[in-house]
Amino acid sequence: GPGEDMFESTKKIGEAIFQGAMEALSLPGKEVRGSLRVVNQFLDMPTESGFRYDPIQRKFTNERVHGCVPSLGYSFASGTFDGANALNITQGTLVSNPLLDAITSIIGKPTPADVACHAPKPILLATGRANFPLPWHPKIVTLSLISIGGFAVIGVPGEPSTMAGRRMKDVVADVLKQNGFEPKVVVSSSANDYAHYVTTFEEYQVQRYEAASTIYGPHTLDIFLNKLKEFTIASVVGNIIPQGPEPTDLLNQTISLIPSVPADNAPFGKNFGDVFQQPPEVVKAGEIVTVVFVGANPRNDLRQESSYVEVEKLEQGGWMTVATDADWDTR
């Protein structure tokens, strides 16, 4: 991130998001009218097909293209500028390494059809062929479109590149225009599913990190564009889109590789909860308060939807919670 540590990076990113939100909220708004329409479909990506999209003419051609069994390319392991790798794999890698191929084939071996489908991506991890202890990547993902009048939100099951996002917006906007709407289209990424990245066909040829992480092959975006055109037409005219093949629920089959908590004991002569250092009775704004007490291993109770610590203030005879471990003021 942009900071010297995770705290500073969180602050800088949070402030940037806040400022952007406030700028948007301060602008004069425009009321959106119309019925709420939601279209959602599960897609079995390796078996999906569609027509190639021509970004110059901004229309679909007659060439039919197909999705691939999920795989990650070599440049996936390169990382990006803010998270580089230690394997000496660089972005833009278009040639595989026989030694690494032999090692990664233990996890799953790509078929000749997989290799041809993903070209020019050299496959590093054939995740679609790896099913132990569970499938490493989903073959079925969900794509959605939510709209009110001419305002539409595209729900993408991954992280689209900016140009991939523009093409999605263009396709949806064109259908809305043709049906008399003034379009305003936005993209919501990592919606409902996570299938890594979605790049354009041109970006895919270069095989930087995001392209190598486009797991369903070079025509992933084309398939999404075909579906989004179909979804937009359906939302305008009221057609029903089939649900598609529902993915397998693996929630109760997951395993954990984290060892259990070992024997957890308080120091000799002490009990859990004993306080070594109490907070002062009176605290002024801006002061740092430090408390020390006998605590157990946090993994004994993950405190989900709760907090490990609460800061309370005495008001009118009652204690009011003013901060938890989710607050910026506590560490």
Side-chain angles (χ1 to χ4, degrees), residues 2-322:
E4 293 297 324
D5 55 35
M6 286 189 288
F7 289 101
E8 186 181 352
S9 292
T10 300
K11 186 173 186 293
K12 288 186 174 183
I13 294 170
E15 287 177 343
I17 294 172
F18 169 76
Q19 289 167 1
M22 289 305 296
E23 288 175 10
L25 288 171
S26 65
L27 294 173
K30 182 177 181 181
E31 185 177 5
V32 177
R33 291 181 176 270
S35 60
L36 172 64
R37 305 182 299 274
V38 179
V39 181
N40 181 83
Q41 188 178 54
F42 291 110
L43 308 177
D44 185 356
M45 290 300 293
T47 65
E48 285 287 345
S49 65
F51 295 105
R52 185 195 286 272
Y53 181 75
D54 184 342
I56 305 299
Q57 300 295 325
R58 293 195 174 187
K59 62 181 182 180
F60 294 92
T61 69
N62 293 323
E63 180 186 355
R64 184 165 286 278
V65 293
H66 301 268
C68 307
V69 173
S71 290
L72 289 165
Y74 266 71
S75 294
F76 156 77
S78 71
T80 57
F81 291 114
D82 57 353
N85 79 101
L87 298 174
N88 199 31
I89 297 176
T90 59
Q91 295 196 68
T93 297
L94 296 173
V95 180
S96 61
N97 180 304
L99 177 60
L100 283 177
D101 286 349
I103 296 171
T104 58
S105 66
I106 299 172
I107 298 168
K109 188 175 178 61
T111 67
D114 293 340
V115 174
C117 187
H118 281 275
K121 175 206 291 179
I123 296 174
L124 177 64
L125 291 170
T127 50
R129 304 296 178 185
N131 295 296
F132 179 81
L134 295 170
W136 283 37
H137 267 148
K139 293 183 174 69
I140 298 174
V141 294
T142 178
L143 183 69
S144 59
L145 180 72
I146 303 171
S147 58
I148 301 177
F151 176 64
V153 181
I154 302 169
V156 184
E159 301 180 65
S161 67
T162 54
M163 189 55 71
R166 289 188 185 102
R167 293 182 189 177
M168 293 181 194
K169 292 166 70 173
D170 281 348
V171 167
V172 172
D174 283 346
V175 175
L176 291 173
K177 281 181 183 177
Q178 291 168 14
N179 286 274
F181 290 98
E182 182 182 342
K184 177 65 177 179
V185 186
V186 297
V187 175
S188 178
S189 62
S190 302
N192 302 315
D193 272 319
Y194 185 71
H196 289 264
Y197 286 81
V198 182
T199 60
T200 66
F201 177 81
E202 294 79 11
E203 290 166 338
Y204 192 91
Q205 306 308 302
V206 184
Q207 280 298 297
R208 292 183 66 80
Y209 170 78
E210 294 80 7
S213 304
T214 299
I215 63 176
Y216 302 116
H219 303 297
T220 302
L221 176 60
D222 287 318
I223 292 171
F224 286 168
L225 294 178
N226 279 260
K227 287 294 178 180
L228 288 172
K229 180 180 179 180
E230 179 186 350
F231 289 4
T232 311
I233 294 172
S235 70
V236 170
V237 303
N239 289 345
I240 301 298
I241 295 292
Q243 175 180 305
E246 192 166 335
T248 304
D249 185 351
L250 303 172
L251 186 61
N252 294 323
Q253 301 178 42
T254 57
I255 64 171
S256 175
L257 301 178
I258 301 174
S260 60
V261 177
D264 199 6
N265 300 304
F268 181 75
K270 297 290 183 181
N271 297 308
F272 290 120
D274 285 354
V275 179
F276 287 116
Q277 181 180 340
Q278 289 277 11
E281 292 186 3
V282 178
V283 179
K284 295 179 181 179
E287 291 183 344
I288 294 176
V289 179
T290 302
V291 295
V292 182
F293 56 91
V294 180
N297 189 313
R299 289 200 287 116
N300 281 311
D301 183 355
L302 297 181
R303 309 288 291 172
Q304 291 175 326
E305 304 298 327
S306 182
S307 177
Y308 284 107
V309 61
E310 289 187 355
V311 179
E312 296 180 336
K313 182 180 181 181
L314 183 61
E315 286 187 346
Q316 299 179 349
W319 290 97
M320 306 292 293
T321 299
V322 296

